[in-house]
Amino acid sequence: MAAYCGRACRQYLLHLAHDNVDFRLPEIKALLSLRNRPFDTSETFSEKSPFWQLNGLSEDDIRSVMSRTVCGKSSFELWGHGTTTDELRKSLLEYPAENMAPYLQQHSTYKINVYTFNKTLVFKDRIKKIDALDFLPFKGTVNLKDPEHIFCLLEDYGSDPNDIPEDPFHIYFGRWIADGQRELIRSYSVKKRHFIGNTSMDAGLSFIMANHAKVKADDLVYDPFVGTGSLLVACSHFGAYVCGTDIDYNTIHGIGKASRKNQKWRGPDENIRANLRQYGTDRLYVDVMVSDASKPLWRKTAQFDAIVTDPPYGIRESTRRTGSHKDIIKPPEDFSGESHVPVSMAYHLSDIFADLLNFAARHLVLGGRLVYWLPIYRPEYCEEMVPLHPCLTLISNCEQTLSSHTSRRLITMEKTKEPEDSDRLSHLADPRFTPYQGHNSFREKYFSGVTKKNGKDAKATPRNKE
């Protein structure tokens, strides 16, 4: 047992990218929960810091997280840390020698990197910092090109580029374990995507959403506003079977005007299946259908392990549903033709979110997650605006700023109970379950803010629906 704890209960350091800062903690927690591991950190933990110390995990846990995260850059087995070089030295000398020994053998090769956050060091200063670690019992041979073991000295100079201190606030030293999946942001870029639309989701955010949803191999994932399928692409990368619906016939079938520059019309093979084929995951493509999200066509059972979606906001795509405000005229009794709804009507944001939560409550499996974007007019935002449902528990609420006056929030919810008849009247008993009607004016407030500004914010446009 002691030997197991020596390997499994060490302290680890995560180095995180300093973008999408609000999304990092929910992503790491979700990935740890896939292995039923807790998020246990130091007393000095700061969510905004790019360096997190994690306790009570094994190296396999860390490797599992790094095999999926797009918020994490690198991970290390932490050998020592401190606020000064003296504290770092003391901490390193206290680290168990038996834990270091396997990586310091005479026959091994190694190299030491120096990383500084918010400060650039010249080569000479980096060498000085490496030389100052000569008290560590390295016996192997330095190999800068292809070492067996990589070690890193990491210095944190804070996050204010206008006030960089002379000395770092904190210093860490450890053995490199694995890098995160930041490369996916480049390799899955929509600029290289076979089939795109005006609002195709950014690759990095697509993978973050899939991670928040805890999408894993053999899951069935659904997107009710599928668009060009960017979210399906990300979910299929993690081995999930994917399907979706959308009310836009042209988008689903990949016909009509192209969104790509210097291309007038979409080609014959521009569709969602082709996107998955591009990344070698087309075997996981179930299907997509033309369907109205306000009138779901699924049987009333729990089918989906996750629902990941980006509903339309009415800015760069319309919010429409089938129907008419006119009185419905009943056909004559002898009418034998097919019935259909020939016109569409406005689909208010409050109705979109109410329908989405009700659908998730009925069709998610227990423990399944709903992840979606909620547009917000920032001057009026408060947490009470986030839609709730008695069957869904709010897990996280992360903001992405779009302009000085608008943002969108990535909402993650988990199904914690099956729907009951009483849930249909829950809004009468608890006002928190009543749809927030203020969302319906988001479009007007968005354009009101745009017309008042002629600067950078005026040109900001949300990239929302795939």
Side-chain angles (χ1 to χ4, degrees):
M1 184 64 184
Y4 172 78
C5 285
R7 295 292 302 163
C9 301
R10 301 181 183 186
Q11 192 173 54
Y12 296 92
L13 181 73
L14 291 189
H15 173 210
L16 297 118
H18 209 60
D19 57 10
N20 293 318
V21 173
D22 226 21
F23 302 82
R24 302 185 307 188
L25 184 58
E27 187 199 47
I28 299 301
K29 283 184 174 181
L31 296 180
L32 284 172
S33 71
L34 283 172
R35 294 179 61 88
N36 296 315
R37 307 298 288 168
F39 182 84
D40 180 14
T41 187
S42 64
E43 294 180 357
T44 58
F45 170 72
S46 170
E47 186 178 342
K48 303 300 182 183
S49 169
F51 301 105
W52 293 355
Q53 299 173 49
L54 299 183
N55 307 316
L57 302 174
S58 70
E59 186 168 317
D60 285 343
D61 294 329
I62 295 298
R63 290 186 182 278
S64 176
V65 169
M66 301 310 290
S67 71
R68 293 190 46 145
T69 177
V70 292
C71 290
K73 297 182 75 173
S74 303
S75 60
F76 306 87
E77 179 189 339
L78 189 60
W79 285 12
H81 64 96
T83 57
T84 65
T85 53
D86 288 339
E87 285 187 11
L88 174 65
R89 180 188 177 96
K90 180 181 178 182
S91 178
L92 286 170
L93 292 174
E94 290 175 351
Y95 192 73
E98 62 270 21
N99 289 352
M100 291 186 181
Y103 312 102
L104 307 179
Q105 297 298 315
Q106 190 169 0
H107 62 272
S108 66
T109 59
Y110 72 95
K111 74 173 180 178
I112 300 176
N113 293 328
V114 176
Y115 174 82
T116 54
F117 179 75
N118 197 33
K119 189 171 185 176
T120 301
L121 296 180
V122 297
F123 180 74
K124 179 177 66 174
D125 291 337
R126 292 175 182 271
I127 297 300
K128 285 182 180 178
K129 291 180 181 292
I130 294 174
D131 290 341
L133 297 169
D134 60 358
F135 61 89
L136 291 175
F138 287 103
K139 299 176 183 178
T141 304
V142 173
N143 184 334
L144 299 181
K145 290 186 176 180
D146 187 25
E148 293 178 57
H149 310 299
I150 301 174
F151 303 91
C152 195
L153 181 72
L154 303 103
E155 297 185 337
D156 182 4
Y157 288 86
S159 56
D160 186 354
N162 299 315
D163 185 19
I164 302 174
E166 184 67 26
D167 299 313
F169 293 122
H170 213 99
I171 314 171
Y172 307 89
F173 182 84
R175 175 179 65 90
W176 174 83
I177 295 175
D179 288 332
Q181 303 302 306
R182 301 286 294 172
E183 190 274 336
L184 293 176
I185 299 174
R186 180 194 62 80
S187 61
Y188 277 77
S189 170
V190 294
K191 294 179 181 179
K192 305 174 183 177
R193 190 77 51 82
H194 185 71
F195 174 48
I196 62 170
N198 291 331
T199 54
S200 291
M201 179 66 68
D202 168 82
L205 292 175
S206 297
F207 283 107
I208 287 174
M209 292 177 72
N211 282 333
H212 282 210
K214 297 168 59 173
V215 171
K216 59 186 183 301
D218 298 327
D219 279 355
L220 179 59
V221 179
Y222 172 62
D223 182 353
F225 303 95
V226 70
T228 57
S230 292
L231 298 179
L232 301 192
V233 168
C235 293
S236 68
H237 174 80
F238 296 124
Y241 292 92
V242 294
C243 60
T245 57
D246 201 287
I247 198 172
D248 190 333
Y249 179 94
N250 287 345
T251 299
I252 286 289
H253 290 277
I255 60 177
K257 291 185 177 180
S259 299
R260 204 181 302 276
K261 188 177 180 181
N262 299 325
Q263 180 181 343
K264 189 172 183 180
W265 301 101
R266 287 175 174 144
D269 191 36
E270 289 193 46
N271 52 58
I272 295 173
R273 183 193 289 272
N275 278 349
L276 271 69
R277 187 185 307 120
Q278 178 181 353
Y279 301 106
T281 58
D282 52 316
R283 65 179 181 81
L284 299 170
Y285 176 80
V286 178
D287 207 350
V288 294
M289 298 173 286
V290 179
S291 176
D292 183 350
S294 68
K295 300 176 177 63
L297 45 76
W298 306 94
R299 66 179 185 272
K300 295 183 179 179
T301 58
Q303 300 112 334
F304 304 115
D305 297 286
I307 298 172
V308 185
T309 192
D310 183 25
Y313 313 156
I315 306 299
R316 301 180 71 188
E317 70 298 298
S318 63
T319 53
R320 310 293 294 175
R321 61 177 174 178
T322 56
S324 173
H325 292 292
K326 297 179 180 179
D327 293 334
I328 298 175
I329 301 175
K330 292 185 179 180
E333 293 182 1
D334 60 348
F335 178 75
S336 59
E338 293 184 1
S339 61
H340 69 286
V341 182
V343 296
S344 65
M345 58 188 293
Y347 194 10
H348 296 301
L349 285 177
S350 59
D351 295 331
I352 289 177
F353 300 126
D355 289 346
L356 180 60
L357 267 61
N358 286 329
F359 180 87
R362 288 192 300 270
H363 296 282
L364 277 176
V365 300
L366 273 176
R369 288 194 168 186
L370 165 67
V371 179
Y372 71 96
W373 288 102
L374 178 73
I376 292 297
Y377 183 64
R378 298 182 71 197
E380 298 178 358
Y381 171 74
C382 63
E383 290 188 3
E384 288 72 19
M385 294 178 182
V386 178
L388 298 177
H389 192 282
C391 296
L392 305 172
T393 299
L394 181 65
I395 301 297
S396 61
N397 175 358
C398 310
E399 182 180 27
Q400 182 195 27
T401 301
L402 301 174
S403 70
S404 61
H405 59 285
T406 59
S407 67
R408 58 180 180 178
R409 306 193 76 92
L410 185 61
I411 307 298
T412 301
M413 310 184 85
E414 188 170 299
K415 182 175 176 179
T416 49
K417 82 178 191 73
E418 294 291 352
E420 302 171 0
D421 290 339
S422 59
D423 294 332
R424 291 182 298 175
L425 302 177
S426 59
H427 63 284
L428 300 177
D430 191 334
R432 294 178 303 167
F433 300 131
T434 302
Y436 174 67
Q437 298 296 322
H439 290 309
N440 298 335
S441 59
F442 174 77
R443 175 184 169 86
E444 289 72 24
K445 292 174 181 176
Y446 172 85
F447 283 111
S448 173
V450 168
T451 55
K452 290 178 181 177
K453 299 183 73 68
N454 296 318
K456 193 173 182 179
D457 280 347
K459 298 178 182 179
T461 52
R463 302 185 62 80
N464 36 40
K465 180 174 169 289
E466 329 286 329

